[in-house]
Amino acid sequence: MMNTAKINASRMSTARKTLALGLSGAALLLSGLVLAGGTEPVGMGQMPANLKATAALRDPAGQVRGEASFEQVGMGMRVTVTASGLTPGMHGLHVHDLGRCTPGVDPAVNKVVPFGGAGGHFDPGGSKNHDSPMAGNKYGHGGDLPMLNVGADGTGTATFTTDKVSLTGKDGVLNRSLMIHADMDDYKSDPSGKSGARERCGVIVRDNFTVRDYPLPGTQSFPEGVAYDARKGVIYTGSAANGNIYAINANTGATSLFSEGGAVGRSTALGLKVDAQGRVWVAGGATGAISILSPDGAPVATLMTPPSPNPYLNDLIPTPDGSVYITDSTRPMIWRVRDMKVEPWLNLGGTPIKYGPGINLNGIVASPDGRFLLSVQLNTGELWRIDTQSRAIRKVMGGLKNGDGLLLDGQTLYVARNADGVVSKVGLSADYGSGTLMMEEPLAGLRFPTTLAKVGADVVVTQGQLDKLQGGTPETPFKLTRFKIF
């Protein structure tokens, strides 16, 4: 068993050394520990080339008084900060959770302060603990950075490399805030090392990258599923929290309530698809129900899977023969609807797909002719091909842990990797039997992306934030994000 007292003493000693060395020494100490691991690798696919970001640092009056740049270098991130108009000495420097440099309540003092809208420190490891820049993210906030050393002229400049945070993956800082505080950081006191008032703030924005957001109404949207009806030019999305289904005009962004949650027992809405008749199909999660809505939102039917413990209908896909296949993430079964009747189509017991704790089969898509289904197993990261004629199962690939919704575009599969905060691009063989992870794209900063739909030459992804459904403060407004296919 590890000696916790010695570990804590060592970490405190490191923090004191950082304070004594000043910024340049801290940067050296930090870069020397990059390989020791503050974070885990985000995956085996390529990151986007020249992944860079900047933040314009403003004072409380809104005047730009500095700039920060961020560049992904392997699994580390190089940060350069310059700021002016500050008092000489050491200043706390942190990444905060939200991309809002607006006034807001600071829980540490329980009052409205400049830049309080940025929330608390970014804490991807869930440590709930302020610590030194050398502490791994399970021990301290990922946003705990080396201090800024300001000279007699009021200008501070810092350059360092850290692996605690990144421009991609679950530790990604895109669309979060960089904050400079008034005082030095003691690297131990919660929540911010007694570093004082928030004096400079900048939102971290990816360079040369454009997305379009579709904001959703309400503070409890938690969008999970998404589908597109090209005939109407309408994007549908459903709430995992209350079952609301929203219709979004893909051109204007105008949003309306298509079907209110709770209708015919629909208390949650997960996977969504539009069939050839323009009807909207909804997977009902733990309700065990499948809802079908007419093109104008009227209920058509609610189909129940047979009563059994712990249902979790997660996603569904219509095929050209009129069938609809549904994944169940907790019961090892693929269900099928034909002629408005639900049947247990494929019992996965005794097959290569082994169910375990957590969410199992999740997103599902079909080849254009309906011959093959592809489904990702979230808890193992395995992608499976299922032959709808023989019901034979083949493992396509692994490495897609936290894989949620899928989008099949020719021989390319896009995977929303929720907790990893990326969309993965997978190249598939002609028979869909093998695949290669090609790229992991963070866009402009994704918050628990769940599902995807193709809209013309673009893709729309939900930023579901389901990690905050049972607790935590989600970023509002909730949104869907549209981007050019890559």
Side-chain angles (χ1 to χ4, degrees):
M1 183 177 292
M2 294 184 181
N3 187 321
T4 304
K6 287 184 178 179
I7 292 173
N8 289 339
S10 174
R11 287 164 56 202
M12 288 305 300
S13 174
T14 300
R16 286 192 292 271
K17 288 178 183 177
T18 303
L19 287 168
L21 286 168
L23 179 65
S24 59
L28 290 172
L29 199 53
L30 182 64
S31 62
L33 287 178
V34 166
L35 295 179
T39 61
E40 297 178 358
V42 296
M44 299 302 293
Q46 283 188 325
M47 295 181 191
N50 301 316
L51 190 55
K52 297 179 181 180
T54 54
L57 301 174
R58 299 178 183 273
D59 64 18
Q63 183 177 353
V64 176
R65 304 296 295 274
E67 184 179 77
S69 64
F70 308 80
E71 181 178 6
Q72 197 67 35
V73 183
M75 297 312 299
M77 185 177 71
R78 182 182 297 121
V79 183
T80 300
V81 182
T82 301
S84 62
L86 298 166
T87 58
M90 306 295 284
H91 290 252
L93 183 67
H94 311 123
V95 175
H96 283 241
D97 193 40
L98 305 178
R100 297 175 183 160
C101 291
T102 57
V105 176
D106 182 353
V109 295
N110 196 31
K111 64 179 182 180
V112 176
V113 300
F115 310 133
H121 289 186
F122 180 39
D123 189 20
S127 69
K128 299 181 180 179
N129 182 55
H130 182 67
D131 211 311
S132 95
M134 281 65 68
N137 286 351
K138 65 180 178 179
Y139 300 114
H141 303 144
D144 298 337
L145 301 178
M147 285 184 282
L148 181 70
N149 191 359
V150 176
D153 64 352
T155 300
T157 301
T159 299
F160 55 89
T161 300
T162 176
D163 73 338
K164 286 174 66 65
V165 287
S166 171
L167 290 178
T168 186
K170 61 181 178 146
D171 304 317
V173 300
L174 289 173
N175 200 29
R176 303 190 192 277
S177 301
L178 185 72
M179 194 78 64
I180 301 173
H181 289 258
D183 302 323
M184 70 186 304
D185 190 337
D186 68 9
Y187 291 137
K188 61 181 181 180
S189 300
D190 288 322
S192 58
K194 295 183 178 179
S195 53
R198 305 177 181 200
E199 293 199 326
R200 301 287 184 272
C201 180
V203 178
I204 302 169
V205 179
R206 182 170 171 181
D207 293 350
N208 303 315
F209 193 83
T210 302
V211 298
R212 178 182 180 184
D213 290 329
Y214 296 105
L216 297 174
T219 59
Q220 295 294 311
S221 300
F222 292 99
E224 208 282 346
V226 64
Y228 180 58
D229 188 337
R231 293 161 295 191
K232 297 169 64 176
V234 169
I235 301 166
Y236 297 104
T237 190
S239 169
N242 56 34
N244 283 349
I245 308 294
Y246 296 99
I248 305 167
N249 185 301
N251 290 325
T252 68
T255 300
S256 61
L257 183 62
F258 180 71
S259 177
E260 187 172 3
V264 198
R266 191 186 66 243
S267 58
T268 188
L270 300 185
L272 268 68
K273 293 293 187 299
V274 176
D275 68 12
Q277 301 176 49
R279 299 176 300 186
V280 179
W281 291 68
V282 186
T287 67
I290 304 150
S291 300
I292 303 104
L293 304 172
S294 72
D296 62 2
V300 173
T302 299
L303 310 177
M304 299 298 299
T305 53
S308 61
N310 201 26
Y312 203 83
L313 304 186
N314 208 326
D315 200 10
L316 35 73
I317 187 69
T319 54
D321 67 353
S323 299
V324 176
Y325 296 88
I326 306 102
T327 58
D328 194 317
S329 295
T330 51
R331 298 177 293 184
M333 179 70 69
I334 294 178
W335 306 91
R336 183 173 69 173
V337 174
R338 288 187 73 117
D339 301 321
M340 288 296 173
K341 295 180 181 179
V342 183
E343 61 179 357
W345 179 72
L346 180 58
N347 189 328
L348 299 173
T351 73
I353 302 176
K354 307 298 181 185
Y355 268 41
I359 300 296
N360 289 273
L361 286 190
N362 195 327
I364 188 169
V365 292
S367 59
D369 60 2
R371 171 67 186 275
F372 296 112
L373 306 175
L374 293 171
S375 186
V376 66
Q377 192 168 354
L378 183 141
N379 53 0
T380 67
E382 295 168 315
L383 180 67
W384 301 95
R385 188 195 73 178
I386 303 158
D387 190 319
T388 58
Q389 294 181 7
S390 67
R391 307 193 189 192
I393 295 173
R394 175 173 175 172
K395 181 178 175 179
V396 178
M397 62 180 293
L400 296 171
K401 193 168 183 180
N402 298 316
D404 199 328
L406 304 178
L407 168 65
L408 183 62
D409 183 32
Q411 301 308 126
T412 301
L413 183 72
Y414 295 90
V415 186
R417 306 256 308 272
N418 55 33
D420 293 321
V422 295
V423 174
S424 291
K425 180 180 182 179
V426 173
L428 296 169
S429 61
D431 66 352
Y432 308 97
S434 62
T436 302
L437 180 58
M438 301 169 66
M439 183 177 289
E440 292 174 336
E441 175 58 72
L443 305 184
L446 289 171
R447 307 293 184 256
F448 211 84
T450 49
T451 48
L452 313 105
K454 190 175 180 185
V455 180
D458 297 345
V459 174
V460 170
V461 60
T462 56
Q463 301 211 40
Q465 301 188 70
L466 301 192
D467 53 331
K468 297 182 178 179
L469 183 57
Q470 302 301 324
T473 303
E475 297 181 33
T476 55
F478 286 90
K479 61 188 178 183
L480 278 59
T481 296
R482 180 173 176 172
F483 59 98
K484 290 294 181 186
I485 209 161
F486 61 91

